[in-house]
Amino acid sequence: MIISDIPSVSVNQSQIDGNRISAEMQYHPSDSRRGAMVKATQALIISEVVRQRAVELEIWPADKPLESHQEEPLIEQLIEADTNLPCATKAECEHFYQTNEDKFRTAPLLEVRHILLVADPDDIQQRGEAREMADTLLQQLSQTPGEFSQLASRHSGCPSAQMGGNLGQITKGQTVPEFERQIFAAPEGLMSTPVESRYGLHLVEIVRRVEGKPLPFEHVKKDIQDYLDTKVKRKTIAQYITQLLSTADIQGFDFGLDGSPLMQ
């Protein structure tokens, strides 16, 4: 039975009826039914122009439907047959390396000690009491910084309290994200405000900070090559699909190649 409010469309005289569009809609979540219908129709039209071109080049059987997971590999075959899938050159990789040097460094190394004032994130009263204690301890530390170890031993709820709050040397990925994000952005010395985490409030001192070192181009060129190749591949695929759509006879749907697709 044809879904009454979903019109059929055709791609080079090949029909895509309302039932197929309706079935496809489940794979395209949207804020509205119309939005899902537009996305589903888009996907089916793209699949059909790809299938038709593959049949034309005799790399896909005319009577075989094209499943969604088969679409991208087939597009890559089509691009290889019709043009070439470009790769990033060594010069482009070197340029990317030179203009993004901060991305290609070893991780910084921090020597850190802290005082953890345990507070449940959902306990407003406990959090408030922890903030008051944090303010008191920060004021005391600003006047007598040499007492950090003693205060950690007395007040910290972390096992590191037994070592004066010393967490040792830390690199990225070793602590929870909300703690890491703040300490790695801080300079050496006592942080002027508490660091909040899922465990409570932390009074933190960056005892020593060793900045990361640049990685040689030869060590990262494969990662750069893979990244740029993927970026170029996505752009090439988008351009190729646009070309197929622009030359196809599509009835019942305005693909809106210069904007958002809208049902006619």
Side-chain angles (χ1 to χ4, degrees):
M1 179 179 177
I2 299 295
I3 308 301
S4 60
D5 64 337
I6 304 179
S8 296
V9 300
S10 68
V11 181
N12 297 323
Q13 289 76 55
S14 177
Q15 292 293 318
I16 301 174
D17 65 30
N19 283 327
R20 283 186 62 194
I21 296 171
S22 179
E24 181 72 18
M25 284 169 60
Q26 64 182 306
Y27 305 113
H28 304 276
S30 178
D31 293 336
S32 67
R33 188 170 184 277
R34 175 180 169 80
M37 181 170 61
V38 168
K39 290 179 180 179
T41 308
Q42 250 190 319
L44 290 173
I45 291 173
I46 290 172
S47 181
E48 183 58 23
V49 294
V50 168
R51 189 194 68 81
Q52 289 181 11
R53 180 57 179 160
V55 170
E56 185 180 350
L57 294 179
E58 299 183 348
I59 59 176
W60 193 262
D63 59 349
K64 182 179 178 181
L66 178 61
E67 303 294 337
S68 58
H69 68 277
Q70 299 169 317
E71 192 173 301
E72 186 170 333
L74 185 58
I75 291 172
E76 291 179 19
Q77 289 184 55
L78 289 173
I79 291 173
E80 287 294 338
D82 279 339
T83 55
N84 280 307
L85 192 60
C87 295
T89 65
K90 183 180 179 182
E92 288 170 333
C93 293
E94 289 176 341
H95 177 73
F96 185 85
Y97 173 78
Q98 291 164 4
T99 54
N100 295 275
E101 288 184 349
D102 288 346
K103 295 180 179 179
F104 305 110
R105 304 178 68 89
T106 59
L109 182 69
L110 302 183
E111 186 177 333
V112 178
R113 57 182 180 175
H114 80 145
I115 300 171
L116 170 61
L117 304 174
V118 177
D120 189 322
D122 298 323
D123 190 327
I124 297 175
Q125 181 177 346
Q126 192 179 39
R127 282 266 162 172
E129 292 171 353
R131 285 191 184 92
E132 289 182 10
M133 175 62 76
D135 290 340
T136 299
L137 293 178
L138 274 175
Q139 185 175 4
Q140 187 172 346
L141 286 169
S142 65
Q143 296 170 355
T144 54
E147 294 186 2
F148 196 103
S149 294
Q150 297 94 307
L151 292 175
S153 299
R154 194 179 312 149
H155 297 285
S156 182
C158 175
S160 65
Q162 299 176 9
M163 298 172 287
N166 188 7
L167 292 174
Q169 294 182 337
I170 295 176
T171 59
K172 288 187 176 181
Q174 291 184 314
T175 64
V176 293
E178 65 271 24
F179 183 76
E180 175 182 290
R181 185 167 53 249
Q182 296 183 66
I183 66 171
F184 276 92
E188 287 187 2
L190 180 67
M191 294 182 67
S192 59
T193 56
V195 174
E196 292 199 43
S197 80
R198 66 197 70 180
Y199 302 115
L201 277 72
H202 308 253
L203 305 182
V204 180
E205 181 183 5
I206 310 298
V207 179
R208 188 165 66 100
R209 180 185 181 92
V210 180
E211 298 296 345
K213 297 179 180 179
L215 291 167
F217 174 71
E218 293 301 316
H219 289 192
V220 296
K221 67 177 182 179
K222 185 179 184 305
D223 290 336
I224 295 174
Q225 179 85 51
D226 291 345
Y227 170 77
L228 293 180
D229 283 351
T230 300
K231 191 174 179 181
V232 170
K233 174 182 168 183
R234 288 175 181 166
K235 183 178 180 180
T236 302
I237 288 174
Q239 290 174 338
Y240 185 76
I241 290 172
T242 299
Q243 179 185 348
L244 292 179
L245 293 170
S246 66
T247 57
D249 178 17
I250 300 171
Q251 299 295 323
F253 187 86
D254 178 6
F255 220 95
L257 295 178
D258 296 325
S260 299
L262 299 171
M263 294 296 292
Q264 291 182 335

